[in-house]
Amino acid sequence: MEDRVRVVIAEDSVLLREGLTRLLTDRGHEVVAGVGDGDALVKTITDLGAQDQLPDVVVADVRMPPTHTDEGVRAAVQLRGRFPGLGVLVLSQYVEEQYATELLAGSSHGVGYLLKDRVAEVREFVDAVVRVAEGGTALDPEVVAQLLGRSRKQDVLANLTPREREVLGLMAEGRTNSAIARQLVVSDGAVEKHVSNIFLKLGLSPSDGDHRRVLAVLTYLNS
């Protein structure tokens, strides 16, 4: 059972919105509100903030009415600017690098970008919601793959070994060192060594603290 978190869901499909609500409430989390467009999301969060009842995380579709282009992610970026402690997890049908980059370009705390197909993997989806609510990151493997692909073309990661690239990709998905070790079937110590080498090669000093994991991903985006 995860720590209980308070969630606002922004999704114009009533069926999907109700489905997400059921997934979360069945795991003991509280869905504070559900809305169907970006304006309603901003208003709901603003009202909750005025009452000192901000949720822990917003789960928002990238594309919502009226134009079904970028209303959801625009609202998410706006809310992150106004409420820095608010976690934001956006859902998208496809990987859209521009939106992922824009979302990740601000604060490195409490942000996630998942493909909607990932919702079918219930445990992983709920874990991602909790991780973002608690200030962590959750990036879809497909998003990571595309961002890594773009970065390779720019030679940002030229000094990383294939294994270090693999570890960095798993880090960008929000996995802990122990989870990476299980995924790669290696020891925790081996993963720690790879992570240290990654930080060193990307120029991330110990003074950056725990945020180096996220800064490693932002290095791709800002290159």
Side-chain angles (χ1 to χ4, degrees), residues 93-176:
Q93 193 69 40
Y94 310 102
V95 177
E96 300 175 89
E97 289 187 25
Q98 176 185 347
Y99 298 149
T101 300
E102 184 171 5
L103 188 68
L104 293 167
S107 170
S108 61
H109 297 281
V111 63
Y113 189 113
L114 296 181
L115 296 184
K116 286 187 174 180
D117 288 348
R118 202 66 56 190
V119 176
E121 300 173 20
V122 176
R123 181 57 190 249
E124 288 192 20
F125 168 70
V126 177
D127 284 350
V129 172
V130 173
R131 191 158 65 245
V132 171
E134 294 177 344
T137 59
L139 297 182
D140 194 284
E142 290 298 321
V143 175
V144 173
Q146 287 205 22
L147 296 177
L148 283 172
R150 184 180 70 180
S151 298
R152 288 192 187 102
K153 295 176 184 177
Q154 299 172 337
D155 293 328
V156 175
L157 308 180
N159 292 327
L160 298 188
T161 66
R163 176 61 92 182
E164 288 166 353
R165 290 172 186 257
E166 190 174 11
V167 169
L168 185 51
L170 294 170
M171 286 168 55
E173 292 174 22
R175 298 176 188 266
T176 64

Side-chain angles (χ1 to χ4, degrees), residues 29 62 76 85 133 178 223:
H29 303 298
V62 165
S178 294
S223 62

Side-chain angles (χ1 to χ4, degrees), residues 163-223:
R163 176 61 92 182
E164 288 166 353
R165 290 172 186 257
E166 190 174 11
V167 169
L168 185 51
L170 294 170
M171 286 168 55
E173 292 174 22
R175 298 176 188 266
T176 64
N177 284 2
S178 294
I180 294 172
R182 290 194 297 271
Q183 177 76 16
L184 300 180
V185 194
V186 297
S187 68
D188 286 0
V191 173
E192 290 174 5
K193 182 177 180 180
H194 288 312
V195 171
S196 294
N197 288 338
I198 290 167
F199 291 156
L200 179 64
K201 292 178 181 180
L202 293 182
L204 299 173
S205 68
S207 63
D208 292 318
D210 293 337
H211 304 316
R212 287 189 295 176
R213 299 179 80 86
V214 176
L215 290 173
V217 178
L218 295 180
T219 298
Y220 308 147
L221 305 179
N222 294 330
S223 62

